[in-house]
């Protein structure tokens, strides 16, 4: 696409304008463009469609002039790496903390950074009422049911698995769910050792479903843009064909800041490109700017009918933020062939639907290099006003040594929704020209106790292996699985979207990123975002 054509694109009238090109936005845009609709994508970050664009094949931090954690002064490098480059404010405790979240920004959104684990939710995830019958925290806003059943989303899971080329084996605990996946490549010997160990313990390990082609030289590019087009992200799988085969348009480096409503319909959206403000018109508007930004676009869209933000009569937009509680376990295996490992080989769900409904355990895949982790650790310690007793260099050697002898697993725990956990707009002027997220996220006593239960269970299961637990559950910077800030539901008083992801009472406005989740489930979100986007696309094609 020619660079100078963006003004024509912004001044045309479209059937559908999609804001954001992550899993949610690119998947729905692709499906609608394929069906003949005129689709325009607006994307805040850069365009990585061509192989020569962007910094690929390594973490953004490795391109910094000296070892450091992500900071605003390196925003150009972060931007070129498909990473978010602006600060988020964390006001969860009295002291303000600012950080740059490790999420995606650019064509493909977070999926150009993701590890490609594409898991179905369990049917129980869509009926949280079952969970509420056990030991349950009444202050949580967990709904009784999702507004759709597992049966309704199952065909779209299958379609999304095919679209994203997911390879793996079926979880033996999903025996009632009738689906099959393409076979994965052989496991790493260290993963095989753990797989057998878990089997002997009576657990139910399986091959983690992964959206990767495993081309020769596959580096398991988690955390950066894949240089070999081996990872099946939303840029490769959906955005590229939508633009090249199905006539869709794309304007990159274009930030959408608000919507204009009249008579319960969105008439236009306001976006900023090259410092200029544009009004874009369409019949249908789809927000997919991610669970941190989509609510801010709505909150920033005020008029006399909607003084608190578009669709926000019940004050729920931005609330119920969830992010999963994730810990890492470096397990010292006997077979050290091909370690450190960048592969996502195995998973088990034996603690998923037990009495505590904790979540999944799976291979973590590629970690940032030890010197970057050291910089992160020192930042945390420095912010806490403490000092490390050992220097950066010995710590780096120590970590390198650990990673070369161990295999990494992650525990992903479902966090429940609470209205006090939220994202808000940093205030400054009536109509914001810049959307700066302020998050407030606290762990309830119930969540803390479930984090500890998960840790104790894994400690018991991993015996007699030696392992190191890298605790990250309490860290609010770990926000890659953020969701829930525009929940869908049947009752307009307790939800932001209806079951077709339409903002209640605004018929031409949809939200399809992970904001719609009314509960976070205990596993990776991407497949559910993609499947749901395909489901919503069908509704739009039939009724809009
Ligand atoms: C390192 C990493 C590894 C991960 N691994 C996995 C994994 O293995 N499996 C899994 O399921 N999930 C994984 N995730 C999480 C997963 O990538 C996200 O949950 C998912 O991609 C979110 O998709 P989304 O469509 O909701 O939003 P996003 O992908 O966040 O997309 C939002 C898009 O909107 C754009 N945007 C933002 N603001 C604006 C604006 N104002 N105007 C225009 N555009 C805007 C952004 O640039 C972005 O392109 C990982 C995430 C990270 C960061």
């Amino acid at each position: 696409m020619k660079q100078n054509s963006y003004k024509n694109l912004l001044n045309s009238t479209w059937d559908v304008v999609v804001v954001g090109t992550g899993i949610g936005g690119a998947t729905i845009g692709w499906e609608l463009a394929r069906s003949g609709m005129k689709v325009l994508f607006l994307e805040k970050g850069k365009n990585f469609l061509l192989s020569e664009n962007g910094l690929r094949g390594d973490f953004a931090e490795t391109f910094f002039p000296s070892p450091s954690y992500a900071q605003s002064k390196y925003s150009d490098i972060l931007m070129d790496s498909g990473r978010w480059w602006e600060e988020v404010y964390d006001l969860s405790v009295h002291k303000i903390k600012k950080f740059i979240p490790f999420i995606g920004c650019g064509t493909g959104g977070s999926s150009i950074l993701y590890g490609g684990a594409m898991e179905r939710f369990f049917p129980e995830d869509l009926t949280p009422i079952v969970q509420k019958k056990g030991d349950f925290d009444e202050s949580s806003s967990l709904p009784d049911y999702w507004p759709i059943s597992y049966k309704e989303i199952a065909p779209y899971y299958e379609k999304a698995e095919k679209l994203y080329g997911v390879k793996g084996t079926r979880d033996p605990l999903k025996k009632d769910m009738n689906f099959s996946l393409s076979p994965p490549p052989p496991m790493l010997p260290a993963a095989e050792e753990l797989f057998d160990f878990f089997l002997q313990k009576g657990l139910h390990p399986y091959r983690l479903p992964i959206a990767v082609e495993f081309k020769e030289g596959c580096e398991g590019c988690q955390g950066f843009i894949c240089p070999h087009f081996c990872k099946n992200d939303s840029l490769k799988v959906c955005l590229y064909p939508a633009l090249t085969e199905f006539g869709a348009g794309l304007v990159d480096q274009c930030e959408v800041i608000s919507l204009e409503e009249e008579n319960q319909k969105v008439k236009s959206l306001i976006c900023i490109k090259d410092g200029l403000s544009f009004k874009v018109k369409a019949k249908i508007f789809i927000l997919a700017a991610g669970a941190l930004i989509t609510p801010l676009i709505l909150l920033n869209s005020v008029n006399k009918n909607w003084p608190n933000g578009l669709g926000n009569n019940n004050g729920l937009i931005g609330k119920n933020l969830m992010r999963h509680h994730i810990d890492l376990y470096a397990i010292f295996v006997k077979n050290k062939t091909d370690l450190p490992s960048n592969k996502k080989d195995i998973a088990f769900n034996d603690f998923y639907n037990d009495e505590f409904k904790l979540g999944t355990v799976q291979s973590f895949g590629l970690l940032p290099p030890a010197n970057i982790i050291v910089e992160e650790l020192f930042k945390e310690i420095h912010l806490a006003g403490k000092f490390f007793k050992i220097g950066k260099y010995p710590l780096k050697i120590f970590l390198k040594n650990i990673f070369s002898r161990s295999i990494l697993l992650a525990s992903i725990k479902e966090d429940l929704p609470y209205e006090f956990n939220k994202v808000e707009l940093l205030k400054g002027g009536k109509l914001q020209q810049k959307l700066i997220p302020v998050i407030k996220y606290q762990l309830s006593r119930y969540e803390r106790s479930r984090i500890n239960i998960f840790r104790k269970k894994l400690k018991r299961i991993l015996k007699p292996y030696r392992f190191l637990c890298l605790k990250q559950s309490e860290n609010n910077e770990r926000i890659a699985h953020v969701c829930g800030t525009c929940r869908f539901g049947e009752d307009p008083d307790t939800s932001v979207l209806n079951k077709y992801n339409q903002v209640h009472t605004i018929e031409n406005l949809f939200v399809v990123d992970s904001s719609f989740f009314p509960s976070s489930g205990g596993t990776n979100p991407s497949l559910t975002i993609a499947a749901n986007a395909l489901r919503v696309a069908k509704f739009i094609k039939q009724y809009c």
Side-chain angles (χ1 to χ4, degrees), residues 334-355:
K334 293 186 196 97
N335 195 330
K336 297 182 181 56
T337 323
D338 294 334
L339 289 182
S341 164
N342 52 9
K343 289 178 76 192
K344 287 193 175 227
D345 275 329
I346 59 172
F348 65 84
N349 284 324
D350 294 83
F351 305 135
Y352 202 103
N353 281 323
D354 67 1
E355 76 267 41

PDB file of all heavy atoms in Angstrom, residues 334-355:
ATOM      1  N   LYS A 334      17.012 -34.062  34.397  1.00  0.00           N
ATOM      2  CA  LYS A 334      18.240 -34.861  34.236  1.00  0.00           C
ATOM      3  C   LYS A 334      18.774 -34.705  32.819  1.00  0.00           C
ATOM      4  O   LYS A 334      19.952 -34.521  32.602  1.00  0.00           O
ATOM      5  CB  LYS A 334      17.918 -36.338  34.516  1.00  0.00           C
ATOM      6  CG  LYS A 334      17.559 -36.602  35.962  1.00  0.00           C
ATOM      7  CD  LYS A 334      17.401 -38.109  36.210  1.00  0.00           C
ATOM      8  CE  LYS A 334      16.681 -38.325  37.528  1.00  0.00           C
ATOM      9  NZ  LYS A 334      15.235 -38.557  37.381  1.00  0.00           N
ATOM     10  N   ASN A 335      17.866 -34.794  31.832  1.00  0.00           N
ATOM     11  CA  ASN A 335      18.285 -34.733  30.434  1.00  0.00           C
ATOM     12  C   ASN A 335      18.410 -33.269  29.989  1.00  0.00           C
ATOM     13  O   ASN A 335      17.404 -32.581  29.793  1.00  0.00           O
ATOM     14  CB  ASN A 335      17.264 -35.465  29.558  1.00  0.00           C
ATOM     15  CG  ASN A 335      17.846 -35.727  28.194  1.00  0.00           C
ATOM     16  OD1 ASN A 335      18.687 -34.959  27.708  1.00  0.00           O
ATOM     17  ND2 ASN A 335      17.438 -36.813  27.580  1.00  0.00           N
ATOM     18  N   LYS A 336      19.645 -32.815  29.822  1.00  0.00           N
ATOM     19  CA  LYS A 336      19.852 -31.386  29.540  1.00  0.00           C
ATOM     20  C   LYS A 336      20.108 -31.119  28.056  1.00  0.00           C
ATOM     21  O   LYS A 336      20.489 -30.008  27.671  1.00  0.00           O
ATOM     22  CB  LYS A 336      21.021 -30.866  30.370  1.00  0.00           C
ATOM     23  CG  LYS A 336      20.707 -30.970  31.847  1.00  0.00           C
ATOM     24  CD  LYS A 336      21.812 -30.435  32.726  1.00  0.00           C
ATOM     25  CE  LYS A 336      21.433 -30.604  34.175  1.00  0.00           C
ATOM     26  NZ  LYS A 336      21.111 -31.991  34.580  1.00  0.00           N
ATOM     27  N   THR A 337      19.869 -32.118  27.193  1.00  0.00           N
ATOM     28  CA  THR A 337      20.083 -31.936  25.759  1.00  0.00           C
ATOM     29  C   THR A 337      19.230 -30.771  25.256  1.00  0.00           C
ATOM     30  O   THR A 337      18.046 -30.679  25.562  1.00  0.00           O
ATOM     31  CB  THR A 337      19.662 -33.222  24.984  1.00  0.00           C
ATOM     32  OG1 THR A 337      20.020 -34.340  25.762  1.00  0.00           O
ATOM     33  CG2 THR A 337      20.271 -33.278  23.607  1.00  0.00           C
ATOM     34  N   ASP A 338      19.841 -29.896  24.454  1.00  0.00           N
ATOM     35  CA  ASP A 338      19.156 -28.759  23.816  1.00  0.00           C
ATOM     36  C   ASP A 338      18.581 -27.735  24.805  1.00  0.00           C
ATOM     37  O   ASP A 338      17.636 -27.019  24.471  1.00  0.00           O
ATOM     38  CB  ASP A 338      18.037 -29.237  22.870  1.00  0.00           C
ATOM     39  CG  ASP A 338      18.599 -29.992  21.687  1.00  0.00           C
ATOM     40  OD1 ASP A 338      19.768 -29.739  21.331  1.00  0.00           O
ATOM     41  OD2 ASP A 338      17.882 -30.842  21.142  1.00  0.00           O
ATOM     42  N   LEU A 339      19.118 -27.681  26.004  1.00  0.00           N
ATOM     43  CA  LEU A 339      18.685 -26.610  26.924  1.00  0.00           C
ATOM     44  C   LEU A 339      19.627 -25.409  26.772  1.00  0.00           C
ATOM     45  O   LEU A 339      20.767 -25.614  26.367  1.00  0.00           O
ATOM     46  CB  LEU A 339      18.710 -27.109  28.372  1.00  0.00           C
ATOM     47  CG  LEU A 339      17.646 -28.128  28.748  1.00  0.00           C
ATOM     48  CD1 LEU A 339      17.765 -28.494  30.221  1.00  0.00           C
ATOM     49  CD2 LEU A 339      16.247 -27.613  28.461  1.00  0.00           C
ATOM     50  N   PRO A 340      19.216 -24.162  27.069  1.00  0.00           N
ATOM     51  CA  PRO A 340      17.877 -23.786  27.509  1.00  0.00           C
ATOM     52  C   PRO A 340      16.854 -23.934  26.375  1.00  0.00           C
ATOM     53  O   PRO A 340      17.196 -23.784  25.208  1.00  0.00           O
ATOM     54  CB  PRO A 340      18.039 -22.324  27.914  1.00  0.00           C
ATOM     55  CG  PRO A 340      19.242 -21.827  27.218  1.00  0.00           C
ATOM     56  CD  PRO A 340      20.123 -23.003  26.979  1.00  0.00           C
ATOM     57  N   SER A 341      15.629 -24.211  26.748  1.00  0.00           N
ATOM     58  CA  SER A 341      14.606 -24.505  25.748  1.00  0.00           C
ATOM     59  C   SER A 341      13.779 -23.270  25.413  1.00  0.00           C
ATOM     60  O   SER A 341      13.432 -22.483  26.286  1.00  0.00           O
ATOM     61  CB  SER A 341      13.682 -25.576  26.288  1.00  0.00           C
ATOM     62  OG  SER A 341      12.503 -25.609  25.531  1.00  0.00           O
ATOM     63  N   ASN A 342      13.470 -23.125  24.132  1.00  0.00           N
ATOM     64  CA  ASN A 342      12.567 -22.044  23.724  1.00  0.00           C
ATOM     65  C   ASN A 342      11.232 -22.630  23.274  1.00  0.00           C
ATOM     66  O   ASN A 342      10.414 -21.944  22.692  1.00  0.00           O
ATOM     67  CB  ASN A 342      13.181 -21.237  22.593  1.00  0.00           C
ATOM     68  CG  ASN A 342      13.633 -22.116  21.441  1.00  0.00           C
ATOM     69  OD1 ASN A 342      13.337 -23.314  21.427  1.00  0.00           O
ATOM     70  ND2 ASN A 342      14.335 -21.548  20.485  1.00  0.00           N
ATOM     71  N   LYS A 343      11.033 -23.932  23.515  1.00  0.00           N
ATOM     72  CA  LYS A 343       9.844 -24.582  22.959  1.00  0.00           C
ATOM     73  C   LYS A 343       8.719 -24.716  23.985  1.00  0.00           C
ATOM     74  O   LYS A 343       8.957 -24.870  25.166  1.00  0.00           O
ATOM     75  CB  LYS A 343      10.222 -25.970  22.438  1.00  0.00           C
ATOM     76  CG  LYS A 343      11.082 -25.887  21.183  1.00  0.00           C
ATOM     77  CD  LYS A 343      11.485 -27.242  20.696  1.00  0.00           C
ATOM     78  CE  LYS A 343      10.331 -27.934  19.993  1.00  0.00           C
ATOM     79  NZ  LYS A 343      10.642 -29.359  19.765  1.00  0.00           N
ATOM     80  N   LYS A 344       7.501 -24.624  23.446  1.00  0.00           N
ATOM     81  CA  LYS A 344       6.314 -24.786  24.303  1.00  0.00           C
ATOM     82  C   LYS A 344       5.771 -26.174  24.022  1.00  0.00           C
ATOM     83  O   LYS A 344       4.926 -26.353  23.150  1.00  0.00           O
ATOM     84  CB  LYS A 344       5.278 -23.732  23.951  1.00  0.00           C
ATOM     85  CG  LYS A 344       5.644 -22.330  24.413  1.00  0.00           C
ATOM     86  CD  LYS A 344       4.438 -21.435  24.305  1.00  0.00           C
ATOM     87  CE  LYS A 344       4.695 -20.074  24.862  1.00  0.00           C
ATOM     88  NZ  LYS A 344       3.664 -19.584  25.747  1.00  0.00           N
ATOM     89  N   ASP A 345       6.265 -27.169  24.749  1.00  0.00           N
ATOM     90  CA  ASP A 345       5.964 -28.548  24.409  1.00  0.00           C
ATOM     91  C   ASP A 345       4.765 -29.142  25.137  1.00  0.00           C
ATOM     92  O   ASP A 345       3.973 -29.849  24.550  1.00  0.00           O
ATOM     93  CB  ASP A 345       7.190 -29.432  24.724  1.00  0.00           C
ATOM     94  CG  ASP A 345       8.195 -29.453  23.580  1.00  0.00           C
ATOM     95  OD1 ASP A 345       7.757 -29.332  22.420  1.00  0.00           O
ATOM     96  OD2 ASP A 345       9.396 -29.594  23.847  1.00  0.00           O
ATOM     97  N   ILE A 346       4.686 -28.902  26.465  1.00  0.00           N
ATOM     98  CA  ILE A 346       3.728 -29.707  27.247  1.00  0.00           C
ATOM     99  C   ILE A 346       2.820 -28.848  28.137  1.00  0.00           C
ATOM    100  O   ILE A 346       3.110 -27.665  28.396  1.00  0.00           O
ATOM    101  CB  ILE A 346       4.467 -30.739  28.145  1.00  0.00           C
ATOM    102  CG1 ILE A 346       5.423 -30.036  29.125  1.00  0.00           C
ATOM    103  CG2 ILE A 346       5.238 -31.735  27.299  1.00  0.00           C
ATOM    104  CD1 ILE A 346       6.023 -30.990  30.162  1.00  0.00           C
ATOM    105  N   ALA A 347       1.754 -29.480  28.583  1.00  0.00           N
ATOM    106  CA  ALA A 347       0.826 -28.816  29.513  1.00  0.00           C
ATOM    107  C   ALA A 347       0.056 -29.880  30.291  1.00  0.00           C
ATOM    108  O   ALA A 347       0.022 -31.038  29.878  1.00  0.00           O
ATOM    109  CB  ALA A 347      -0.161 -27.954  28.729  1.00  0.00           C
ATOM    110  N   PHE A 348      -0.498 -29.499  31.428  1.00  0.00           N
ATOM    111  CA  PHE A 348      -1.501 -30.350  32.084  1.00  0.00           C
ATOM    112  C   PHE A 348      -2.493 -29.485  32.840  1.00  0.00           C
ATOM    113  O   PHE A 348      -2.186 -28.360  33.252  1.00  0.00           O
ATOM    114  CB  PHE A 348      -0.864 -31.426  32.986  1.00  0.00           C
ATOM    115  CG  PHE A 348      -0.113 -30.912  34.188  1.00  0.00           C
ATOM    116  CD1 PHE A 348      -0.768 -30.599  35.363  1.00  0.00           C
ATOM    117  CD2 PHE A 348       1.275 -30.768  34.139  1.00  0.00           C
ATOM    118  CE1 PHE A 348      -0.074 -30.137  36.480  1.00  0.00           C
ATOM    119  CE2 PHE A 348       1.983 -30.303  35.250  1.00  0.00           C
ATOM    120  CZ  PHE A 348       1.309 -29.992  36.421  1.00  0.00           C
ATOM    121  N   ASN A 349      -3.708 -30.035  32.960  1.00  0.00           N
ATOM    122  CA  ASN A 349      -4.809 -29.259  33.542  1.00  0.00           C
ATOM    123  C   ASN A 349      -5.442 -29.938  34.757  1.00  0.00           C
ATOM    124  O   ASN A 349      -6.634 -29.759  35.015  1.00  0.00           O
ATOM    125  CB  ASN A 349      -5.898 -29.027  32.471  1.00  0.00           C
ATOM    126  CG  ASN A 349      -5.459 -27.963  31.490  1.00  0.00           C
ATOM    127  OD1 ASN A 349      -4.792 -26.997  31.873  1.00  0.00           O
ATOM    128  ND2 ASN A 349      -5.796 -28.132  30.230  1.00  0.00           N
ATOM    129  N   ASP A 350      -4.626 -30.700  35.468  1.00  0.00           N
ATOM    130  CA  ASP A 350      -5.187 -31.434  36.619  1.00  0.00           C
ATOM    131  C   ASP A 350      -5.642 -30.521  37.751  1.00  0.00           C
ATOM    132  O   ASP A 350      -6.400 -30.942  38.630  1.00  0.00           O
ATOM    133  CB  ASP A 350      -4.163 -32.464  37.126  1.00  0.00           C
ATOM    134  CG  ASP A 350      -3.943 -33.539  36.084  1.00  0.00           C
ATOM    135  OD1 ASP A 350      -3.131 -33.291  35.162  1.00  0.00           O
ATOM    136  OD2 ASP A 350      -4.618 -34.583  36.144  1.00  0.00           O
ATOM    137  N   PHE A 351      -5.174 -29.273  37.774  1.00  0.00           N
ATOM    138  CA  PHE A 351      -5.624 -28.339  38.828  1.00  0.00           C
ATOM    139  C   PHE A 351      -6.615 -27.312  38.272  1.00  0.00           C
ATOM    140  O   PHE A 351      -6.871 -26.286  38.873  1.00  0.00           O
ATOM    141  CB  PHE A 351      -4.423 -27.598  39.442  1.00  0.00           C
ATOM    142  CG  PHE A 351      -3.356 -28.524  39.962  1.00  0.00           C
ATOM    143  CD1 PHE A 351      -2.021 -28.285  39.700  1.00  0.00           C
ATOM    144  CD2 PHE A 351      -3.699 -29.647  40.699  1.00  0.00           C
ATOM    145  CE1 PHE A 351      -1.035 -29.141  40.170  1.00  0.00           C
ATOM    146  CE2 PHE A 351      -2.730 -30.515  41.168  1.00  0.00           C
ATOM    147  CZ  PHE A 351      -1.400 -30.262  40.907  1.00  0.00           C
ATOM    148  N   TYR A 352      -7.120 -27.582  37.074  1.00  0.00           N
ATOM    149  CA  TYR A 352      -7.966 -26.582  36.396  1.00  0.00           C
ATOM    150  C   TYR A 352      -9.385 -26.558  36.955  1.00  0.00           C
ATOM    151  O   TYR A 352      -9.935 -25.504  37.250  1.00  0.00           O
ATOM    152  CB  TYR A 352      -8.014 -26.896  34.893  1.00  0.00           C
ATOM    153  CG  TYR A 352      -8.387 -25.724  34.024  1.00  0.00           C
ATOM    154  CD1 TYR A 352      -7.420 -25.037  33.300  1.00  0.00           C
ATOM    155  CD2 TYR A 352      -9.702 -25.285  33.925  1.00  0.00           C
ATOM    156  CE1 TYR A 352      -7.760 -23.959  32.502  1.00  0.00           C
ATOM    157  CE2 TYR A 352     -10.048 -24.211  33.143  1.00  0.00           C
ATOM    158  CZ  TYR A 352      -9.074 -23.549  32.426  1.00  0.00           C
ATOM    159  OH  TYR A 352      -9.406 -22.475  31.646  1.00  0.00           O
ATOM    160  N   ASN A 353      -9.948 -27.762  37.053  1.00  0.00           N
ATOM    161  CA  ASN A 353     -11.344 -27.826  37.483  1.00  0.00           C
ATOM    162  C   ASN A 353     -11.489 -28.544  38.820  1.00  0.00           C
ATOM    163  O   ASN A 353     -12.526 -29.121  39.103  1.00  0.00           O
ATOM    164  CB  ASN A 353     -12.189 -28.527  36.413  1.00  0.00           C
ATOM    165  CG  ASN A 353     -12.513 -27.569  35.286  1.00  0.00           C
ATOM    166  OD1 ASN A 353     -12.741 -26.388  35.515  1.00  0.00           O
ATOM    167  ND2 ASN A 353     -12.497 -28.069  34.064  1.00  0.00           N
ATOM    168  N   ASP A 354     -10.418 -28.518  39.636  1.00  0.00           N
ATOM    169  CA  ASP A 354     -10.541 -29.141  40.953  1.00  0.00           C
ATOM    170  C   ASP A 354     -11.302 -28.178  41.889  1.00  0.00           C
ATOM    171  O   ASP A 354     -11.837 -27.161  41.424  1.00  0.00           O
ATOM    172  CB  ASP A 354      -9.162 -29.545  41.512  1.00  0.00           C
ATOM    173  CG  ASP A 354      -8.272 -28.348  41.827  1.00  0.00           C
ATOM    174  OD1 ASP A 354      -8.736 -27.194  41.634  1.00  0.00           O
ATOM    175  OD2 ASP A 354      -7.135 -28.540  42.254  1.00  0.00           O
ATOM    176  N   GLU A 355     -11.307 -28.452  43.165  1.00  0.00           N
ATOM    177  CA  GLU A 355     -12.154 -27.654  44.064  1.00  0.00           C
ATOM    178  C   GLU A 355     -11.746 -26.175  44.117  1.00  0.00           C
ATOM    179  O   GLU A 355     -12.529 -25.312  44.470  1.00  0.00           O
ATOM    180  CB  GLU A 355     -12.202 -28.274  45.468  1.00  0.00           C
ATOM    181  CG  GLU A 355     -10.965 -28.067  46.352  1.00  0.00           C
ATOM    182  CD  GLU A 355      -9.938 -29.205  46.271  1.00  0.00           C
ATOM    183  OE1 GLU A 355      -9.689 -29.709  45.156  1.00  0.00           O
ATOM    184  OE2 GLU A 355      -9.375 -29.558  47.325  1.00  0.00           O
TER     185      GLU A 355
END
